[in-house]
Amino acid sequence: MSVTLDLSRARPAAAPAPLNLAGLTRSEIAATLVESGVAAPSQAKMRANQIWGWAQHHGVTAFEAMSNIAKDTRAALAERFTLARPQIAERQQSVDGTIKWLIRFAPGIEAETVFIPEVGGGSGALCVSSQVGCTLNCTFCHTGTQALVRNLTAAEIVAQVQVARDDLSEWRAAPGGRRLTNIVFMGMGEPLYNLDGVATALDIVSDDQGIAISRRRVTVSTSGVVPKLKELGERTGAMLAVSLHAVTDELRDVLVPINKAYPIAELLAAIRAYPGLSNAKRVTFEYVMLKGVNDSPAEARALVKLLAGIPAKINLIPFNPWPGSPYECSSGNRIHAFADIVNAAGYASPIRTPRGRDILAACGQLKSESQKTRANARRRETEAVDTAEH
Ligand code: SAH
Ligand code: SF4
């Protein structure tokens, strides 16, 4: 039987995408302008500063709107470069005010970003993704069940902040009037496996002539990629958060399997040496509360012993379940008893309030629903082709 395939859905060969200047630092923009012949070396710095102000301070996405740049230069820029935002595939808002965007960077390349306003309004943190999927497979994390698609570029990481600022209408807002005041790399992926992208994105968003979020208000969370910790501190000056989750190698090997490569003792030694670590710049240890797995008073006591002498705070995260997850969240009593022991030893031990659970925006829940939908859609497509062929 002959088969006629419907080619109307086949994608044409993609033309190379124009370079997005939103992912370049000011000096990189200047160098790019010279290389492309748009600016003479003597003019490049001034021109880069103008573009920078429009793009990273005013949030402008069209070169045409840059009224202090000559018309023909604007046209030359538009011919070669872009400042376009990625597409927002979906936007959801939780009853608690949390907003989640599913951002489509390219066909099939999607990641989620979550704005978490503080309870009671005021400021809030933006939880950004560094990768689409993750190579690691922590057993309590839904992202970990999804294969890595690819690293996000610096432009794509910066774009997550820009999309949030568009939505919150706070370009040009005075620092005191902003809602988005902090950035946490706690979305999808392991940031230290994409350190170049993360570090460049941080150079861009912390520039005081642009988005101007201070490095001290940026936290990078890692599962414990020991060989990259020092470089993270030196290159970014970011606050460090480490996903510890267990006090013995035996259990951490299961929960956070990267522990087999970099066990707890090595991890703690690297943390003690983290550049700038002090009482004013503490490391945050994240500890997910899993019922009957890691939540006993004895483990709380072992935890404070293990961390003795490290300037730290311990963030207790109630486990956020996902379909098929092999764990349950500890009871409120159990979590409070654990927190009391840690607290009594002199460590701040806030219990993270789950936010945005109703829209699957809480820790470890990201991406799951959109992938499922796409997997179903892919299955339907495959079935349609199979049916046509048989
Ligand atoms: N890959 C990085 C950052 C992203 S995850 C890391 O592992 O640190 C951000 C935090 O959420 C980590 O501490 C992670 O362990 C935690 N987490 C993952 N799945 C979770 C879940 N289902 N419930 C609660 N916390 C979870
Ligand atoms: Fe990856 Fe972090 Fe999830 Fe582990 S917890 S699978 S490192 S995203």
Side-chain angles (χ1 to χ4, degrees), residues 127-128 130-131 134 136 138 140-143 185-192 220-224 241-245 256 286-290 317-322 325 352 357 362-365:
C127 178
V128 299
S130 55
Q131 299 184 309
C134 191
L136 302 174
C138 305
F140 51 87
C141 174
H142 205 186
T143 312
F185 281 84
M186 295 185 185
M188 296 165 51
E190 170 48 59
L192 296 199
V220 176
S221 174
T222 178
S223 57
V242 176
S243 298
L244 189 63
H245 306 318
V256 189
E286 294 158 292
Y287 196 96
V288 65
M289 299 301 296
L290 304 171
I317 315 177
F319 170 66
N320 293 305
W322 34 274
S325 57
R352 195 179 288 173
R357 266 188 181 173
C363 294
Q365 294 184 316

mmCIF file of all heavy atoms in Angstrom, residues 127-128 130-131 134 136 138 140-143 185-192 220-224 241-245 256 286-290 317-322 325 352 357 362-365, ligand 1:
data_model
loop_
_atom_site.group_PDB
_atom_site.id
_atom_site.type_symbol
_atom_site.label_atom_id
_atom_site.label_comp_id
_atom_site.label_asym_id
_atom_site.label_seq_id
_atom_site.Cartn_x
_atom_site.Cartn_y
_atom_site.Cartn_z
ATOM 1 N N CYS A 127 12.608 32.306 40.442
ATOM 2 C CA CYS A 127 13.285 31.013 40.392
ATOM 3 C C CYS A 127 13.541 30.684 38.921
ATOM 4 O O CYS A 127 12.590 30.507 38.154
ATOM 5 C CB CYS A 127 12.365 29.974 41.051
ATOM 6 S SG CYS A 127 13.023 28.323 41.019
ATOM 7 N N VAL A 128 14.806 30.670 38.512
ATOM 8 C CA VAL A 128 15.116 30.490 37.092
ATOM 9 C C VAL A 128 15.700 29.099 36.832
ATOM 10 O O VAL A 128 16.275 28.460 37.711
ATOM 11 C CB VAL A 128 16.100 31.574 36.569
ATOM 12 C CG1 VAL A 128 15.523 32.967 36.707
ATOM 13 C CG2 VAL A 128 17.433 31.492 37.282
ATOM 14 N N SER A 130 18.348 26.655 34.618
ATOM 15 C CA SER A 130 19.652 26.752 33.956
ATOM 16 C C SER A 130 19.795 25.715 32.839
ATOM 17 O O SER A 130 20.656 25.846 31.979
ATOM 18 C CB SER A 130 20.777 26.561 34.974
ATOM 19 O OG SER A 130 20.606 25.346 35.677
ATOM 20 N N GLN A 131 18.964 24.676 32.886
ATOM 21 C CA GLN A 131 19.015 23.635 31.853
ATOM 22 C C GLN A 131 17.588 23.212 31.524
ATOM 23 O O GLN A 131 16.681 23.398 32.333
ATOM 24 C CB GLN A 131 19.751 22.392 32.384
ATOM 25 C CG GLN A 131 21.193 22.634 32.794
ATOM 26 C CD GLN A 131 21.877 21.329 33.224
ATOM 27 O OE1 GLN A 131 21.355 20.594 34.052
ATOM 28 N NE2 GLN A 131 23.036 21.058 32.639
ATOM 29 N N CYS A 134 17.654 17.560 33.241
ATOM 30 C CA CYS A 134 18.810 17.469 34.145
ATOM 31 C C CYS A 134 19.518 16.138 33.892
ATOM 32 O O CYS A 134 18.860 15.134 33.632
ATOM 33 C CB CYS A 134 18.337 17.549 35.596
ATOM 34 S SG CYS A 134 19.679 17.755 36.792
ATOM 35 N N LEU A 136 21.294 14.707 36.168
ATOM 36 C CA LEU A 136 21.313 13.988 37.439
ATOM 37 C C LEU A 136 19.928 13.413 37.704
ATOM 38 O O LEU A 136 18.959 13.819 37.080
ATOM 39 C CB LEU A 136 21.748 14.948 38.548
ATOM 40 C CG LEU A 136 23.127 15.560 38.273
ATOM 41 C CD1 LEU A 136 23.483 16.609 39.292
ATOM 42 C CD2 LEU A 136 24.191 14.467 38.246
ATOM 43 N N CYS A 138 18.185 12.789 41.073
ATOM 44 C CA CYS A 138 17.837 12.728 42.484
ATOM 45 C C CYS A 138 16.449 12.081 42.553
ATOM 46 O O CYS A 138 15.552 12.452 41.795
ATOM 47 C CB CYS A 138 17.842 14.124 43.077
ATOM 48 S SG CYS A 138 19.422 14.957 42.797
ATOM 49 N N PHE A 140 13.917 12.115 44.492
ATOM 50 C CA PHE A 140 12.707 12.811 44.964
ATOM 51 C C PHE A 140 12.313 13.945 44.030
ATOM 52 O O PHE A 140 11.356 14.669 44.286
ATOM 53 C CB PHE A 140 12.974 13.390 46.374
ATOM 54 C CG PHE A 140 14.250 14.185 46.406
ATOM 55 C CD1 PHE A 140 14.242 15.519 46.068
ATOM 56 C CD2 PHE A 140 15.463 13.568 46.715
ATOM 57 C CE1 PHE A 140 15.419 16.241 46.036
ATOM 58 C CE2 PHE A 140 16.646 14.287 46.688
ATOM 59 C CZ PHE A 140 16.616 15.627 46.348
ATOM 60 N N CYS A 141 13.060 14.137 42.939
ATOM 61 C CA CYS A 141 12.874 15.318 42.078
ATOM 62 C C CYS A 141 12.285 14.916 40.729
ATOM 63 O O CYS A 141 12.830 14.040 40.049
ATOM 64 C CB CYS A 141 14.218 16.017 41.872
ATOM 65 S SG CYS A 141 14.148 17.379 40.684
ATOM 66 N N HIS A 142 11.206 15.568 40.349
ATOM 67 C CA HIS A 142 10.564 15.197 39.079
ATOM 68 C C HIS A 142 11.430 15.588 37.886
ATOM 69 O O HIS A 142 11.509 14.851 36.900
ATOM 70 C CB HIS A 142 9.176 15.838 38.982
ATOM 71 C CG HIS A 142 8.254 15.081 38.076
ATOM 72 N ND1 HIS A 142 7.012 15.529 37.745
ATOM 73 C CD2 HIS A 142 8.409 13.889 37.443
ATOM 74 C CE1 HIS A 142 6.435 14.644 36.942
ATOM 75 N NE2 HIS A 142 7.264 13.645 36.746
ATOM 76 N N THR A 143 12.096 16.747 37.965
ATOM 77 C CA THR A 143 12.980 17.145 36.866
ATOM 78 C C THR A 143 14.013 16.050 36.598
ATOM 79 O O THR A 143 14.394 15.798 35.458
ATOM 80 C CB THR A 143 13.732 18.462 37.191
ATOM 81 O OG1 THR A 143 12.800 19.423 37.678
ATOM 82 C CG2 THR A 143 14.432 19.017 35.977
ATOM 83 N N PHE A 185 18.672 30.258 41.521
ATOM 84 C CA PHE A 185 18.822 29.217 40.494
ATOM 85 C C PHE A 185 18.353 27.900 41.107
ATOM 86 O O PHE A 185 19.142 27.055 41.489
ATOM 87 C CB PHE A 185 20.277 29.129 40.010
ATOM 88 C CG PHE A 185 20.638 30.204 39.019
ATOM 89 C CD1 PHE A 185 21.039 31.458 39.450
ATOM 90 C CD2 PHE A 185 20.554 29.973 37.652
ATOM 91 C CE1 PHE A 185 21.350 32.466 38.551
ATOM 92 C CE2 PHE A 185 20.877 30.968 36.739
ATOM 93 C CZ PHE A 185 21.266 32.221 37.187
ATOM 94 N N MET A 186 17.033 27.792 41.231
ATOM 95 C CA MET A 186 16.436 26.597 41.831
ATOM 96 C C MET A 186 15.358 26.028 40.916
ATOM 97 O O MET A 186 14.475 25.296 41.348
ATOM 98 C CB MET A 186 15.835 26.919 43.196
ATOM 99 C CG MET A 186 16.883 27.324 44.217
ATOM 100 S SD MET A 186 16.170 27.559 45.841
ATOM 101 C CE MET A 186 17.599 28.166 46.733
ATOM 102 N N GLY A 187 15.416 26.422 39.648
ATOM 103 C CA GLY A 187 14.468 25.868 38.687
ATOM 104 C C GLY A 187 15.007 24.557 38.139
ATOM 105 O O GLY A 187 15.654 23.791 38.850
ATOM 106 N N MET A 188 14.758 24.330 36.873
ATOM 107 C CA MET A 188 15.203 23.064 36.298
ATOM 108 C C MET A 188 16.699 23.061 36.039
ATOM 109 O O MET A 188 17.272 24.044 35.582
ATOM 110 C CB MET A 188 14.480 22.846 34.965
ATOM 111 C CG MET A 188 12.981 22.695 35.135
ATOM 112 S SD MET A 188 12.166 22.866 33.579
ATOM 113 C CE MET A 188 13.121 21.712 32.625
ATOM 114 N N GLY A 189 17.326 21.932 36.335
ATOM 115 C CA GLY A 189 18.708 21.734 35.942
ATOM 116 C C GLY A 189 19.721 21.983 37.038
ATOM 117 O O GLY A 189 19.405 22.503 38.115
ATOM 118 N N GLU A 190 20.960 21.585 36.754
ATOM 119 C CA GLU A 190 22.071 21.747 37.688
ATOM 120 C C GLU A 190 22.938 22.920 37.200
ATOM 121 O O GLU A 190 23.664 22.783 36.207
ATOM 122 C CB GLU A 190 22.880 20.425 37.738
ATOM 123 C CG GLU A 190 24.193 20.512 38.468
ATOM 124 C CD GLU A 190 24.102 21.195 39.840
ATOM 125 O OE1 GLU A 190 23.362 20.722 40.703
ATOM 126 O OE2 GLU A 190 24.797 22.218 40.024
ATOM 127 N N PRO A 191 22.857 24.069 37.875
ATOM 128 C CA PRO A 191 23.552 25.271 37.385
ATOM 129 C C PRO A 191 25.062 25.090 37.219
ATOM 130 O O PRO A 191 25.662 25.707 36.345
ATOM 131 C CB PRO A 191 23.258 26.330 38.444
ATOM 132 C CG PRO A 191 22.246 25.772 39.353
ATOM 133 C CD PRO A 191 22.088 24.321 39.104
ATOM 134 N N LEU A 192 25.683 24.241 38.045
ATOM 135 C CA LEU A 192 27.147 24.117 37.935
ATOM 136 C C LEU A 192 27.567 23.261 36.735
ATOM 137 O O LEU A 192 28.750 23.199 36.416
ATOM 138 C CB LEU A 192 27.751 23.576 39.229
ATOM 139 C CG LEU A 192 27.589 24.480 40.445
ATOM 140 C CD1 LEU A 192 28.581 24.120 41.544
ATOM 141 C CD2 LEU A 192 27.729 25.946 40.098
ATOM 142 N N VAL A 220 22.714 30.555 44.020
ATOM 143 C CA VAL A 220 22.854 29.419 43.109
ATOM 144 C C VAL A 220 22.778 28.140 43.934
ATOM 145 O O VAL A 220 23.554 27.949 44.873
ATOM 146 C CB VAL A 220 24.188 29.491 42.333
ATOM 147 C CG1 VAL A 220 24.372 28.253 41.448
ATOM 148 C CG2 VAL A 220 24.228 30.757 41.470
ATOM 149 N N SER A 221 21.827 27.279 43.583
ATOM 150 C CA SER A 221 21.646 26.019 44.317
ATOM 151 C C SER A 221 22.272 24.874 43.528
ATOM 152 O O SER A 221 22.020 24.717 42.337
ATOM 153 C CB SER A 221 20.150 25.755 44.513
ATOM 154 O OG SER A 221 19.954 24.479 45.092
ATOM 155 N N THR A 222 23.097 24.088 44.210
ATOM 156 C CA THR A 222 23.736 22.957 43.534
ATOM 157 C C THR A 222 23.523 21.660 44.308
ATOM 158 O O THR A 222 23.418 21.665 45.539
ATOM 159 C CB THR A 222 25.256 23.188 43.350
ATOM 160 O OG1 THR A 222 25.818 22.032 42.719
ATOM 161 C CG2 THR A 222 25.967 23.434 44.661
ATOM 162 N N SER A 223 23.505 20.566 43.557
ATOM 163 C CA SER A 223 23.394 19.249 44.177
ATOM 164 C C SER A 223 24.747 18.826 44.757
ATOM 165 O O SER A 223 24.833 17.812 45.437
ATOM 166 C CB SER A 223 22.937 18.240 43.132
ATOM 167 O OG SER A 223 23.851 18.252 42.056
ATOM 168 N N GLY A 224 25.803 19.621 44.442
ATOM 169 C CA GLY A 224 27.112 19.325 45.025
ATOM 170 C C GLY A 224 28.169 18.940 44.014
ATOM 171 O O GLY A 224 28.851 17.923 44.166
ATOM 172 N N ALA A 241 23.793 27.806 47.775
ATOM 173 C CA ALA A 241 22.866 26.885 48.453
ATOM 174 C C ALA A 241 23.238 25.475 48.012
ATOM 175 O O ALA A 241 23.573 25.252 46.847
ATOM 176 C CB ALA A 241 21.419 27.194 48.084
ATOM 177 N N VAL A 242 23.247 24.551 48.953
ATOM 178 C CA VAL A 242 23.653 23.177 48.644
ATOM 179 C C VAL A 242 22.555 22.210 49.065
ATOM 180 O O VAL A 242 22.047 22.271 50.182
ATOM 181 C CB VAL A 242 24.979 22.826 49.370
ATOM 182 C CG1 VAL A 242 25.356 21.370 49.119
ATOM 183 C CG2 VAL A 242 26.096 23.748 48.905
ATOM 184 N N SER A 243 22.201 21.338 48.145
ATOM 185 C CA SER A 243 21.150 20.344 48.412
ATOM 186 C C SER A 243 21.780 19.172 49.152
ATOM 187 O O SER A 243 22.322 18.263 48.534
ATOM 188 C CB SER A 243 20.559 19.874 47.086
ATOM 189 O OG SER A 243 19.965 20.963 46.418
ATOM 190 N N LEU A 244 21.687 19.186 50.484
ATOM 191 C CA LEU A 244 22.341 18.139 51.276
ATOM 192 C C LEU A 244 21.423 16.924 51.448
ATOM 193 O O LEU A 244 21.743 15.820 51.012
ATOM 194 C CB LEU A 244 22.767 18.712 52.631
ATOM 195 C CG LEU A 244 23.654 17.799 53.465
ATOM 196 C CD1 LEU A 244 24.975 17.515 52.771
ATOM 197 C CD2 LEU A 244 23.898 18.395 54.853
ATOM 198 N N HIS A 245 20.297 17.125 52.080
ATOM 199 C CA HIS A 245 19.203 16.131 52.151
ATOM 200 C C HIS A 245 19.470 14.851 52.943
ATOM 201 O O HIS A 245 18.550 14.068 53.170
ATOM 202 C CB HIS A 245 18.701 15.738 50.755
ATOM 203 C CG HIS A 245 18.288 16.889 49.897
ATOM 204 N ND1 HIS A 245 17.552 17.954 50.366
ATOM 205 C CD2 HIS A 245 18.503 17.166 48.580
ATOM 206 C CE1 HIS A 245 17.334 18.811 49.384
ATOM 207 N NE2 HIS A 245 17.897 18.364 48.298
ATOM 208 N N VAL A 256 20.631 11.613 46.394
ATOM 209 C CA VAL A 256 21.340 12.564 45.516
ATOM 210 C C VAL A 256 22.534 11.793 44.926
ATOM 211 O O VAL A 256 23.647 11.878 45.447
ATOM 212 C CB VAL A 256 21.832 13.798 46.319
ATOM 213 C CG1 VAL A 256 22.382 14.890 45.404
ATOM 214 C CG2 VAL A 256 20.722 14.367 47.201
ATOM 215 N N GLU A 286 20.057 22.965 51.938
ATOM 216 C CA GLU A 286 18.659 22.578 51.701
ATOM 217 C C GLU A 286 18.491 21.132 52.152
ATOM 218 O O GLU A 286 19.347 20.280 51.886
ATOM 219 C CB GLU A 286 18.327 22.721 50.213
ATOM 220 C CG GLU A 286 18.359 24.177 49.763
ATOM 221 C CD GLU A 286 18.566 24.318 48.268
ATOM 222 O OE1 GLU A 286 19.679 23.971 47.794
ATOM 223 O OE2 GLU A 286 17.646 24.749 47.584
ATOM 224 N N TYR A 287 17.382 20.896 52.832
ATOM 225 C CA TYR A 287 17.143 19.555 53.379
ATOM 226 C C TYR A 287 15.667 19.240 53.171
ATOM 227 O O TYR A 287 14.793 19.822 53.804
ATOM 228 C CB TYR A 287 17.533 19.559 54.861
ATOM 229 C CG TYR A 287 17.707 18.181 55.476
ATOM 230 C CD1 TYR A 287 18.973 17.596 55.580
ATOM 231 C CD2 TYR A 287 16.608 17.468 55.945
ATOM 232 C CE1 TYR A 287 19.134 16.333 56.150
ATOM 233 C CE2 TYR A 287 16.761 16.206 56.514
ATOM 234 C CZ TYR A 287 18.028 15.646 56.611
ATOM 235 O OH TYR A 287 18.187 14.403 57.177
ATOM 236 N N VAL A 288 15.397 18.350 52.230
ATOM 237 C CA VAL A 288 14.011 18.004 51.903
ATOM 238 C C VAL A 288 13.490 17.018 52.953
ATOM 239 O O VAL A 288 14.205 16.096 53.357
ATOM 240 C CB VAL A 288 13.923 17.418 50.466
ATOM 241 C CG1 VAL A 288 14.645 16.097 50.321
ATOM 242 C CG2 VAL A 288 12.468 17.257 50.021
ATOM 243 N N MET A 289 12.276 17.227 53.442
ATOM 244 C CA MET A 289 11.757 16.391 54.535
ATOM 245 C C MET A 289 10.952 15.225 53.970
ATOM 246 O O MET A 289 9.828 15.400 53.479
ATOM 247 C CB MET A 289 10.893 17.240 55.471
ATOM 248 C CG MET A 289 11.650 18.389 56.135
ATOM 249 S SD MET A 289 13.073 17.897 57.150
ATOM 250 C CE MET A 289 12.313 16.948 58.446
ATOM 251 N N LEU A 290 11.547 14.029 54.050
ATOM 252 C CA LEU A 290 10.932 12.820 53.487
ATOM 253 C C LEU A 290 10.511 11.904 54.634
ATOM 254 O O LEU A 290 11.358 11.486 55.450
ATOM 255 C CB LEU A 290 11.926 12.089 52.579
ATOM 256 C CG LEU A 290 12.527 12.898 51.424
ATOM 257 C CD1 LEU A 290 13.655 12.117 50.751
ATOM 258 C CD2 LEU A 290 11.458 13.256 50.401
ATOM 259 N N ILE A 317 12.803 21.838 53.551
ATOM 260 C CA ILE A 317 11.815 21.912 52.456
ATOM 261 C C ILE A 317 10.833 20.749 52.573
ATOM 262 O O ILE A 317 11.233 19.588 52.385
ATOM 263 C CB ILE A 317 12.493 21.818 51.059
ATOM 264 C CG1 ILE A 317 13.740 22.698 50.979
ATOM 265 C CG2 ILE A 317 11.516 22.163 49.956
ATOM 266 C CD1 ILE A 317 14.490 22.589 49.656
ATOM 267 N N PRO A 318 9.568 21.032 52.888
ATOM 268 C CA PRO A 318 8.588 19.937 52.858
ATOM 269 C C PRO A 318 8.569 19.334 51.448
ATOM 270 O O PRO A 318 8.529 20.073 50.462
ATOM 271 C CB PRO A 318 7.256 20.641 53.174
ATOM 272 C CG PRO A 318 7.647 21.924 53.841
ATOM 273 C CD PRO A 318 8.965 22.324 53.236
ATOM 274 N N PHE A 319 8.627 18.013 51.387
ATOM 275 C CA PHE A 319 8.652 17.334 50.089
ATOM 276 C C PHE A 319 7.392 17.657 49.292
ATOM 277 O O PHE A 319 6.278 17.572 49.804
ATOM 278 C CB PHE A 319 8.762 15.822 50.316
ATOM 279 C CG PHE A 319 8.556 15.016 49.066
ATOM 280 C CD1 PHE A 319 9.454 15.093 48.014
ATOM 281 C CD2 PHE A 319 7.448 14.177 48.937
ATOM 282 C CE1 PHE A 319 9.258 14.350 46.851
ATOM 283 C CE2 PHE A 319 7.248 13.427 47.786
ATOM 284 C CZ PHE A 319 8.157 13.522 46.741
ATOM 285 N N ASN A 320 7.569 18.052 48.043
ATOM 286 C CA ASN A 320 6.435 18.289 47.155
ATOM 287 C C ASN A 320 6.219 17.050 46.299
ATOM 288 O O ASN A 320 7.074 16.723 45.467
ATOM 289 C CB ASN A 320 6.708 19.497 46.257
ATOM 290 C CG ASN A 320 6.773 20.784 47.055
ATOM 291 O OD1 ASN A 320 5.845 21.125 47.779
ATOM 292 N ND2 ASN A 320 7.890 21.490 46.964
ATOM 293 N N PRO A 321 5.109 16.361 46.504
ATOM 294 C CA PRO A 321 4.902 15.106 45.766
ATOM 295 C C PRO A 321 4.584 15.344 44.291
ATOM 296 O O PRO A 321 4.145 16.437 43.922
ATOM 297 C CB PRO A 321 3.694 14.474 46.475
ATOM 298 C CG PRO A 321 3.044 15.573 47.229
ATOM 299 C CD PRO A 321 4.007 16.697 47.406
ATOM 300 N N TRP A 322 4.837 14.353 43.492
ATOM 301 C CA TRP A 322 4.461 14.404 42.071
ATOM 302 C C TRP A 322 3.953 13.004 41.700
ATOM 303 O O TRP A 322 4.209 12.038 42.434
ATOM 304 C CB TRP A 322 5.643 14.834 41.192
ATOM 305 C CG TRP A 322 7.005 14.393 41.639
ATOM 306 C CD1 TRP A 322 7.818 15.047 42.527
ATOM 307 C CD2 TRP A 322 7.722 13.197 41.254
ATOM 308 N NE1 TRP A 322 8.990 14.350 42.707
ATOM 309 C CE2 TRP A 322 8.962 13.214 41.928
ATOM 310 C CE3 TRP A 322 7.442 12.146 40.388
ATOM 311 C CZ2 TRP A 322 9.912 12.204 41.777
ATOM 312 C CZ3 TRP A 322 8.397 11.138 40.223
ATOM 313 C CH2 TRP A 322 9.618 11.178 40.925
ATOM 314 N N SER A 325 5.725 9.617 42.570
ATOM 315 C CA SER A 325 6.921 9.837 43.398
ATOM 316 C C SER A 325 6.980 8.801 44.521
ATOM 317 O O SER A 325 5.964 8.468 45.122
ATOM 318 C CB SER A 325 6.944 11.253 43.961
ATOM 319 O OG SER A 325 5.778 11.517 44.711
ATOM 320 N N ARG A 352 10.498 25.963 54.598
ATOM 321 C CA ARG A 352 10.016 26.633 53.384
ATOM 322 C C ARG A 352 8.528 26.359 53.202
ATOM 323 O O ARG A 352 8.105 25.209 53.198
ATOM 324 C CB ARG A 352 10.810 26.147 52.166
ATOM 325 C CG ARG A 352 10.617 27.039 50.963
ATOM 326 C CD ARG A 352 11.413 26.561 49.776
ATOM 327 N NE ARG A 352 12.857 26.759 49.905
ATOM 328 C CZ ARG A 352 13.739 26.288 49.040
ATOM 329 N NH1 ARG A 352 13.336 25.598 47.993
ATOM 330 N NH2 ARG A 352 15.031 26.490 49.209
ATOM 331 N N ARG A 357 1.804 25.209 44.708
ATOM 332 C CA ARG A 357 1.613 23.766 44.496
ATOM 333 C C ARG A 357 0.443 23.498 43.541
ATOM 334 O O ARG A 357 0.452 22.538 42.787
ATOM 335 C CB ARG A 357 1.338 23.060 45.822
ATOM 336 C CG ARG A 357 2.583 22.488 46.487
ATOM 337 C CD ARG A 357 2.188 21.650 47.687
ATOM 338 N NE ARG A 357 3.345 21.095 48.379
ATOM 339 C CZ ARG A 357 3.260 20.448 49.539
ATOM 340 N NH1 ARG A 357 2.097 20.264 50.115
ATOM 341 N NH2 ARG A 357 4.343 19.965 50.107
ATOM 342 N N ALA A 362 5.963 24.366 42.634
ATOM 343 C CA ALA A 362 6.817 24.248 43.820
ATOM 344 C C ALA A 362 8.101 23.483 43.484
ATOM 345 O O ALA A 362 8.211 22.855 42.429
ATOM 346 C CB ALA A 362 6.044 23.556 44.933
ATOM 347 N N CYS A 363 9.076 23.533 44.412
ATOM 348 C CA CYS A 363 10.369 22.863 44.206
ATOM 349 C C CYS A 363 10.181 21.435 43.724
ATOM 350 O O CYS A 363 9.414 20.676 44.327
ATOM 351 C CB CYS A 363 11.122 22.742 45.525
ATOM 352 S SG CYS A 363 11.615 24.267 46.233
ATOM 353 N N GLY A 364 10.899 21.069 42.693
ATOM 354 C CA GLY A 364 10.894 19.676 42.257
ATOM 355 C C GLY A 364 9.691 19.284 41.422
ATOM 356 O O GLY A 364 9.587 18.161 40.969
ATOM 357 N N GLN A 365 8.765 20.241 41.203
ATOM 358 C CA GLN A 365 7.579 19.899 40.399
ATOM 359 C C GLN A 365 7.673 20.476 38.997
ATOM 360 O O GLN A 365 6.812 20.237 38.166
ATOM 361 C CB GLN A 365 6.318 20.478 41.066
ATOM 362 C CG GLN A 365 5.990 19.853 42.411
ATOM 363 C CD GLN A 365 4.684 20.387 42.967
ATOM 364 O OE1 GLN A 365 4.426 21.583 42.927
ATOM 365 N NE2 GLN A 365 3.859 19.503 43.490
HETATM 366 N N1 SAH B 1 19.749 21.253 40.655
HETATM 367 C C1 SAH B 1 19.887 22.151 41.725
HETATM 368 C C2 SAH B 1 18.847 23.256 41.764
HETATM 369 C C3 SAH B 1 17.425 22.927 41.414
HETATM 370 S S1 SAH B 1 16.401 22.098 42.568
HETATM 371 C C4 SAH B 1 19.900 21.412 43.035
HETATM 372 O O1 SAH B 1 19.637 20.226 43.045
HETATM 373 O O2 SAH B 1 20.240 22.021 44.052
HETATM 374 C C5 SAH B 1 16.078 23.244 43.894
HETATM 375 C C6 SAH B 1 15.847 22.532 45.235
HETATM 376 O O3 SAH B 1 14.609 21.796 45.249
HETATM 377 C C7 SAH B 1 16.944 21.529 45.553
HETATM 378 O O4 SAH B 1 17.344 21.622 46.893
HETATM 379 C C8 SAH B 1 16.232 20.224 45.309
HETATM 380 O O5 SAH B 1 16.861 19.182 45.986
HETATM 381 C C9 SAH B 1 14.838 20.523 45.806
HETATM 382 N N2 SAH B 1 13.812 19.578 45.345
HETATM 383 C C10 SAH B 1 13.805 18.810 44.241
HETATM 384 N N3 SAH B 1 12.677 18.070 44.169
HETATM 385 C C11 SAH B 1 11.936 18.376 45.260
HETATM 386 C C12 SAH B 1 10.654 17.966 45.723
HETATM 387 N N4 SAH B 1 9.908 17.104 45.046
HETATM 388 N N5 SAH B 1 10.207 18.508 46.889
HETATM 389 C C13 SAH B 1 10.930 19.432 47.553
HETATM 390 N N6 SAH B 1 12.147 19.864 47.149
HETATM 391 C C14 SAH B 1 12.651 19.347 46.020
#
